[in-house]
Every structure is written in C-alpha cells, then in structure tokens.
Amino acid sequence: MSFYSRTKNRLLALATTRFPVVARRFAAAYQPQETTGAIPWTRPASPLSQAKLALVTTAGIHHRDQLPFDMRDKNGDPSFREIRGRDIFNDFQITHDYYDHSDARKDPNIILPLDRLRELVAEGLIGSLAEIHYAFMGHIDGEHIKTFVGGSAQLLIKSLQAQEVDIVLLTPA
C-alpha cells in the first residue's frame, strides 16, 4: 500500500470520527462475511470472581520494540502481538490506519481497559488478569482471513491455554 493510500485511510478514519454522517455511510455500506456452523461458545468453568481474564484487542496497539503491524498490505495483517500488561502503557504505539488514535493515545484504556480491569480484580469481581494480553490489527481481509483462522487464531488459543486463561474480553478498535 502506498504512502498516498495510507494517508487516505488515515484521513477517512479522522473524517468518520469527526463527522457522524460519514461514519453512518461507511457502516451502511459494510457487508459482513458469511459464516457457517455454530458459534464456538463455551460456558466458563469458574465464576468470574475466580477466573483469570485476558484482553484481546483489534486496535493495533503494541510495544515500541515490537514489529509494527503491516499497513501496506491491502488485506491487512493477520499476525498478533503479545502485550505485557504491566508495562504496555509506558511503552506503546498504535499501528492501525483505520481509526483515529487521538483519544487512545491520551488514554489507552479506551482500547485496552487494563486499569479498569485491575480495579475489578481489586474489588474481587474478577479473580486475576493474565500477564500477557494480545493485539491484532483489526483490518484482516481476503486470503488473510484463512491465515488468521487457521494460523494466528490457533497460536493465540495455545498461548491463552498456556497462561491458563479462563475468560477473554475482546475489545474492538
């Protein structure tokens, strides 16, 4: 994707944030991809007050020392980044051209609500938080959907299982 395409995407993201009529037009034009089969829902084995929770976001946030998401590929980037919960807010950048980052830069809890979840842990409403959380770049399309479903998502599941995570909270960009 060229510099001009990325700039256009960033300007569209800014326009949809500032002008609701533009956002409504984009939303009305959206055509979701058809899916088949049952939704893979599993009832949690533990009550929330005893569960370990991990965050998964599509906001494109990552640590500065990590490889940025590939915004040049028109089909997006199906990979994910491991996010260290203890220090992400001291060391983050956002690589995602399809939304305005202004508010998220001021308060990253908007896209990764770790501070709010820590408060819920302190109140005893959530058992604990995983040490590692996960970020994707929310624009994944075309052939990368298969890569995501058959590759990245499977690796994510194994990593969540290795951390003994009970519940995942998904936060969109």
Side-chain angles (χ1 to χ4, degrees), residues 62-133:
H62 56 90
H63 294 281
R64 291 189 188 283
D65 64 349
Q66 292 174 315
L67 184 67
F69 290 99
D70 183 1
M71 291 305 306
R72 295 166 305 188
D73 189 327
K74 67 181 176 105
N75 289 318
D77 183 341
S79 65
F80 64 89
R81 306 293 178 270
E82 291 188 347
I83 304 299
R84 298 179 307 274
R86 71 183 177 280
D87 62 0
I88 184 62
F89 293 163
N90 300 322
D91 159 40
F92 76 93
Q93 68 182 49
I94 301 170
T95 307
H96 195 318
D97 289 347
Y98 297 99
Y99 73 97
D100 180 3
H101 307 163
S102 302
D103 292 332
R105 281 192 194 106
K106 293 174 193 168
D107 182 4
N109 280 287
I110 292 170
I111 57 174
L112 198 70
L114 283 169
D115 290 339
R116 302 301 71 84
L117 291 171
R118 287 181 186 119
E119 291 167 1
L120 295 174
V121 169
E123 290 178 32
L125 297 172
I126 297 174
S128 64
L129 294 180
E131 289 184 31
I132 303 294
H133 304 277

Side-chain angles (χ1 to χ4, degrees), residues 23-43:
R24 283 193 293 276
R25 285 187 185 164
F26 271 98
Y30 175 70
Q31 295 295 317
Q33 181 176 344
E34 293 262 344
T35 59
T36 58
I39 296 171
W41 171 258
T42 303
R43 186 169 295 284

